[in-house]
Amino acid sequence: MSRKIHVKHLAFTVQALLLLVLASSCSQDEPRVLTIGTGGSMGNYDKTGLAIARIVNSEQEANKFELQPEESSGSVANIDAIMAGDIEFGIAQADRQHQAVNGLAEWKEKGPQKELRAIFSLYTESVTLVAGLDSGISTIHDLRGKRVDIGLLGSGIRQNAIDALDAAGIEWEKDLDIYETKLDDRLPMLMHSQLDAIFQTIGHPSQEIRFATYSVRGARLVPLSNIESLLAKYPFYSKSIISSELYPRAGNAGDIETIGVKAILLTSARVSDEIVYAVTKAVFRNIDSLARTVPVLKALNKESMLEGLTAPIHPGALQYYKEIGLKAPPSKLSSRKITFTWNASAGPNVTGYRVHFGLSSGNYTNKVLVGNQTSYTLSGLDGGQTYYIAVTALETNGERESDFSDEIAVKIPE
């Protein structure tokens, strides 16, 4: 089946806030406005961001800043906006955090986002496949030939969907009739039979999914397959079970097995320690209020909020954790690096070498031109992760490239 992509054209409203701070014309008591990137309207990121802003702003007079939520297309957009300095805070999936700090996926060309910092995690998001009851879809393998929404470019949902489809042996670009729509439109299109299935990476219970199960068409949650292979390949995934009791009207006889990632509050190293400390303290002092306000945060506790942080923790947050006696996990990214060498090629026209590396054998998601040198150092690596490395030789200024060298596998110590 040829690939068909249906992209719903969106009209974006961009709120540009230009703050021209002049000591002679601006009162020193006027609060500074900071922004937290959330997600689609009334999604869990949006609800969580609104709740965090409300708590932080209740102490605005003492902190001298106001936190303003801003909707976005999700994890990738929030990380990019943080790195660009357009926003100060943002919510993102742990897998996207991991990829950004390691220069993987969308950040392969940009390189590692070395100034990205974690503050705390919030809840587990389950990769959730939802299908119409009349769609004939009971397993992920039934998606072939169906109209499936995998999420917008720049969303965490999209890569999770692709990972799940790859693990199931489904070539998503050929086997599916792909749709890419914004979060707010996905479930309504499913309920109105404009889609057969959708992927969501979401905390449970979800009011939106529950509403879909009560619609005229009805909906069921579909389990993923080959979960163990996903857990072995990607360090940021964990096994997740969605209780069928949360959705009594769904067409599910038992619980749904899938994978999950943590939702993380992120910032930049450029944001001051004082500001991050104030946000962290305000949220930790009001955990019970957050848990009552946002259903997906009902299990929130201090210890769980330091799980899944694969970016270095911001010093302002670390200062507060130290004050309350909470031991933060060591950063796996601190200074892990490896240096390796290879023999020079005997070819007469070799003009340089290219190093290829990735997280699975034969799948080199990163490549670096290294000139004529025959050694290279990879830095910023995850402790406990295995990296697979190979080298190619370039001839005639890169016009020809050799086959891959023998692969080496290096496991980074914890």
Side-chain angles (χ1 to χ4, degrees), residues 313-333:
I313 301 175
H314 194 285
L318 284 173
Q319 179 186 343
Y320 181 72
Y321 301 148
K322 184 178 180 180
E323 285 182 8
I324 64 173
L326 194 60
K327 186 176 181 180
S331 172
K332 291 185 177 182
L333 304 171

Side-chain angles (χ1 to χ4, degrees), residues 38-209:
T38 59
S41 175
M42 296 312 294
N44 284 327
Y45 280 15
D46 188 40
K47 295 172 185 175
T48 301
L50 286 168
I52 290 174
R54 176 181 53 80
I55 286 171
V56 172
N57 292 341
S58 69
E59 302 180 12
Q60 180 186 128
E61 186 174 344
N63 294 332
K64 304 300 182 185
F65 66 86
E66 174 187 347
L67 194 56
Q68 177 176 290
E70 184 175 286
E71 294 177 14
S72 77
S73 61
S75 296
V76 176
N78 288 341
I79 290 172
D80 285 345
I82 289 171
M83 291 295 90
D86 296 331
I87 63 177
E88 288 75 24
F89 302 94
I91 303 174
Q93 294 175 195
D95 53 332
R96 294 314 215 174
Q97 170 191 239
H98 172 91
Q99 291 159 354
V101 297
N102 284 286
L104 304 173
E106 278 84 354
W107 298 277
K108 186 162 58 175
E109 293 185 3
K110 300 176 184 177
Q113 304 300 292
K114 296 180 179 180
E115 292 191 325
L116 188 65
R117 295 291 181 268
I119 303 177
F120 49 74
S121 63
L122 292 155
Y123 59 91
T124 297
E125 300 183 277
S126 297
V127 180
T128 309
L129 176 56
V130 187
L133 275 183
D134 60 356
S135 65
I137 300 171
S138 298
T139 73
I140 191 170
H141 303 285
D142 297 329
L143 293 177
R144 289 184 172 88
K146 301 292 187 178
R147 301 166 299 172
V148 183
D149 194 302
I150 63 171
L152 287 171
L153 283 169
S155 68
I157 295 168
R158 183 186 180 89
Q159 188 60 51
N160 300 149
I162 292 171
D163 290 345
L165 292 166
D166 285 346
I170 295 173
E171 297 184 53
W172 64 275
E173 292 182 290
K174 296 194 302 184
D175 294 344
L176 309 181
D177 187 4
I178 292 295
Y179 281 67
E180 301 166 329
T181 58
K182 68 177 184 176
L183 185 62
D184 295 348
D185 292 339
R186 210 166 293 149
L187 276 168
M189 289 177 69
L190 180 75
M191 290 186 287
H192 290 91
S193 299
Q194 296 170 296
L195 292 168
D196 297 307
I198 64 169
F199 279 92
Q200 299 269 60
T201 302
I202 195 168
H204 293 278
S206 161
Q207 290 181 332
E208 294 82 1
I209 291 178

Side-chain angles (χ1 to χ4, degrees), residues 357-375:
F357 62 98
L359 298 177
S360 59
S361 179
N363 183 22
Y364 308 122
T365 53
N366 298 270
K367 55 186 178 182
V368 184
L369 283 170
V370 296
N372 287 314
Q373 65 191 58
T374 55
S375 68

Side-chain angles (χ1 to χ4, degrees), residues 133 210 213-215 218-219 244 247-252:
L133 275 183
R210 183 177 291 146
T213 66
Y214 278 84
S215 68
S244 59
Y247 305 101
R249 290 289 295 270
N252 292 98

